[in-house]
């Protein structure tokens, strides 16, 4: 008797693998639109030459990471041009939070009276491309932050000419 050849049984397929979540990519750093400058606050709001103005600069990080950030701050004079370059700031703004940085400027004796502002440039060294201004996180001017008053000039009261004092003749015979 002839027997039939055995029928091959197909192998059992492995169970399906669950779908993999896409790999999370941590951004290299902040990009334009992630860091914001809120309204700077000057103390005092009105200063005179020789006084020091404290400028509180609130930044908010709406980006996904908290890398070190650099910022340059310039004082803008009444004509809207930079009259002072303040020391560069470096800080790590917390994600979703405000970070306050403070700079000080002593008003020069020859400062023009009028309204002063600030200009701020901020960048993340991880994402900034030298020569490409579109990679700045912040490029912003804020005008009318504080006022510089002129030092009043003291004017001496006018001298009133006194009539000459007539001397009385000395007593006795002349």
């Amino acid at each position: 008797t002839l027997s039939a050849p055995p029928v091959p049984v197909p192998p059992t397929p492995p169970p399906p693998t669950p779908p993999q979540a896409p790999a999370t990519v941590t951004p290299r750093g902040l990009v334009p639109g992630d860091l914001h400058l809120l309204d700077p606050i000057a103390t005092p709001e009105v200063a005179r030459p020789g006084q020091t103005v404290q400028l509180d600069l609130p930044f908010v990080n709406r980006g996904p990471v908290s890398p070190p950030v650099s910022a340059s701050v310039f004082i803008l004079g009444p004509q809207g041009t930079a009259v002072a370059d303040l020391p560069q700031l470096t800080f790590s703004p917390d994600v979703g939070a405000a970070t306050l940085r403070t700079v000080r400027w002593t008003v020069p004796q020859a400062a023009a009276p009028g309204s002063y502002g600030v200009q701020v440039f901020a960048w993340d060294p991880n994402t900034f491309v030298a020569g490409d201004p579109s990679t700045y996180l912040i490029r912003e001017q804020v005008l009318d932050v504080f006022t510089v008053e002129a030092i009043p000039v003291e004017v001496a009261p006018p001298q009133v000419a006194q009539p000459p004092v007539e001397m009385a003749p000395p007593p006795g015979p002349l």
Side-chain angles (χ1 to χ4, degrees):
T1 74
L2 288 173
S3 63
V7 176
V9 177
T12 306
T17 56
Q20 296 291 323
T24 304
V25 176
T26 302
R28 286 185 339 160
L30 297 176
V31 296
D34 286 344
L35 190 66
H36 301 270
L37 174 66
L38 303 180
D39 291 335
I41 299 166
T43 306
E45 291 180 7
V46 178
R48 288 189 172 166
Q51 285 186 303
T52 298
V53 177
Q54 176 176 303
L55 295 164
D56 293 325
L57 305 169
F59 294 90
V60 175
N61 178 0
R62 295 201 174 109
V65 293
S66 180
V69 170
S70 297
S72 290
V73 180
F74 299 89
I75 301 293
L76 300 177
Q79 303 299 319
T81 57
V83 296
D85 177 2
L86 302 180
Q88 183 173 307
L89 303 171
T90 300
F91 59 100
S92 295
D94 292 331
V95 174
T99 300
L100 188 67
R101 297 276 56 97
T102 299
V103 294
R104 289 173 182 77
W105 181 61
T106 300
V107 180
Q109 291 297 325
S115 181
Y116 283 68
V118 295
Q119 183 171 31
V120 178
F121 293 91
W123 63 95
D124 178 343
N126 297 311
T127 57
F128 181 71
V129 177
D132 183 356
S134 71
T135 60
Y136 278 111
L137 302 174
I138 295 174
R139 292 185 308 164
E140 199 168 323
Q141 287 186 356
V142 182
L143 304 176
D144 303 322
V145 176
F146 64 97
T147 300
V148 171
E149 287 185 331
I151 295 178
V153 177
E154 303 236 355
V155 177
Q159 296 293 326
V160 177
Q162 299 290 329
V165 176
E166 290 191 28
M167 307 250 327
L174 287 176

